[in-house]
Amino acid sequence: MRLSAFEYVYFLNIAMSHFSQNLNWPRAFVAVALAVVVSTAGAGEALVRFANGETITKDDLSVYLDRRVDLRSTSRNVWGVQTTLREMALVRALALEGAAMGQPREEGKEAQRFDDVYAQAVYTKLAPTCKPPADETAARQFFKDHPQAFRVPPMARLSRVILPASESLEGEPAAAWLMKQAQAVASGAKSFDDLAKQAESVYKLDAQGDLGWVTLFEEDASVLRVLATTKQGEMVGPIREGDFAYLFKVDEKRESHQLAWGDVAVSVPTRAVTYCRQEGSKKVREDLFKKYGVELDGAAIRALFSKQSAAN
């Protein structure tokens, strides 16, 4: 398949963005607000541990999100919280590395554990210097050596039904009701659009039905991985996450594919720099997490939501 210039720019820009920033994806998985979750369990329970005995707790997470409003919408479900905790752990690991390097702290902030500005200053010293290929020959070599940098991930046009898990419809809990409705859609007795309209009469705070095109990053959240392998016309769910139950339908699908040189030639220099920075960032994080023994406690993170669900 050969892309038009418009399609190439569109797909490549989306493909190289992180899923949490793409098409407001976290809105498809909105669960319980973190502040409510934290209030239902011990705020001192460790979610992340370091080899030196330090921890990141629910209380730390709540305080960090009070300051980082840009992360709040992505921290309303398990994988969103995991992403935020990885960022917090990296900020802290960079602070430890900065201290080891002798990087001075801003006066008055020495006791601040999660200092984003200081972390950025340390990261700048650790990150690789990224330059574009010097000429077309070098650009072609980069293209040949890094095919993964020019692979477009799968995309899908999704429809979704979202309902509060505590809701009862026709005398049944939302998840059980959605299962019956999914069977009705699969048998042809009801359309997914009609189901979305029916759900909208019960819950209007999030979009029901067509979500538009979504990039399915297979290395990220588990639901995205499942949707990436789902065929056009198939449904996924019901899925229970936090305070909500979901049902998805893949209306259209564009499979992952490799871009040809002719499609990307003019963009290789820019992509080479972006790719270098992305890979450099991954390496810095991996190296620091290994050095400082950073470990996320998956069970404790999931318990943030399971405890809230059990309380309902």
Side-chain angles (χ1 to χ4, degrees), residues 40-241:
T40 68
E45 185 177 343
L47 303 175
V48 181
R49 293 178 175 83
F50 291 73
N52 66 0
E54 285 193 41
T55 63
I56 298 176
T57 66
K58 298 171 186 175
D59 200 20
D60 294 326
L61 178 59
S62 183
V63 171
Y64 191 72
L65 289 174
D66 285 342
R67 177 161 53 88
R68 289 292 304 276
V69 294
D70 57 308
L71 296 176
R72 290 178 188 173
S73 66
T74 61
S75 299
R76 295 177 177 174
N77 49 63
V78 171
W79 46 90
V81 167
Q82 288 173 335
T83 299
T84 299
L85 287 170
R86 287 191 191 98
E87 178 166 332
M88 291 179 68
L90 179 58
V91 168
R92 185 57 192 151
L94 284 165
L96 294 172
E97 186 69 5
M101 294 165 51
Q103 176 78 7
R105 296 288 298 268
E106 183 179 340
E107 186 176 351
K109 288 191 173 183
E110 294 85 356
Q112 186 173 327
R113 292 180 66 213
F114 304 103
D115 187 340
D116 297 313
V117 175
Y118 181 71
Q120 180 60 41
V122 176
Y123 175 80
T124 300
K125 292 181 179 295
L126 299 176
T129 300
C130 297
K131 297 180 179 180
D135 51 32
E136 184 177 341
T137 300
R140 282 183 176 273
Q141 190 62 46
F142 178 85
F143 177 80
K144 179 180 178 181
D145 293 343
H146 302 89
Q148 65 275 27
F150 302 95
R151 185 163 187 81
V152 178
M155 295 185 69
R157 184 165 185 170
L158 298 177
S159 290
R160 176 199 65 184
V161 169
I162 173 175
L163 289 169
S166 59
E167 190 71 49
S168 292
L169 295 92
E170 299 175 356
E172 295 187 275
W177 183 82
L178 279 177
M179 177 62 75
K180 287 189 175 181
Q181 301 308 306
Q183 293 169 348
V185 172
S187 68
K190 175 182 286 189
S191 72
F192 200 93
D193 287 342
D194 288 341
L195 174 58
K197 290 175 183 177
Q198 189 174 358
E200 190 173 25
S201 67
V202 177
Y203 180 72
K204 296 183 173 67
L205 295 181
D206 287 283
Q208 305 280 6
D210 188 7
L211 295 177
W213 285 94
V214 175
T215 303
L216 307 175
F217 287 93
E218 296 171 308
E219 70 274 18
D220 283 312
S222 59
V223 174
L224 289 177
R225 288 198 297 269
V226 172
L227 289 168
T229 60
T230 302
K231 296 179 181 179
Q232 182 170 312
E234 293 182 343
M235 288 180 288
V236 173
I239 299 167
R240 173 70 183 270
E241 173 63 24

Side-chain angles (χ1 to χ4, degrees), residues 8-31:
Y8 167 68
V9 172
Y10 178 72
F11 282 120
L12 191 58
N13 283 342
I14 291 179
M16 305 315 170
S17 298
H18 190 276
F19 87 97
S20 69
Q21 297 173 331
N22 178 58
L23 297 178
N24 293 319
W25 176 248
R27 294 294 293 167
F29 297 102
V30 171

Side-chain angles (χ1 to χ4, degrees), residues 35-47:
V36 176
V37 177
V38 171
S39 68
T40 68
E45 185 177 343
L47 303 175

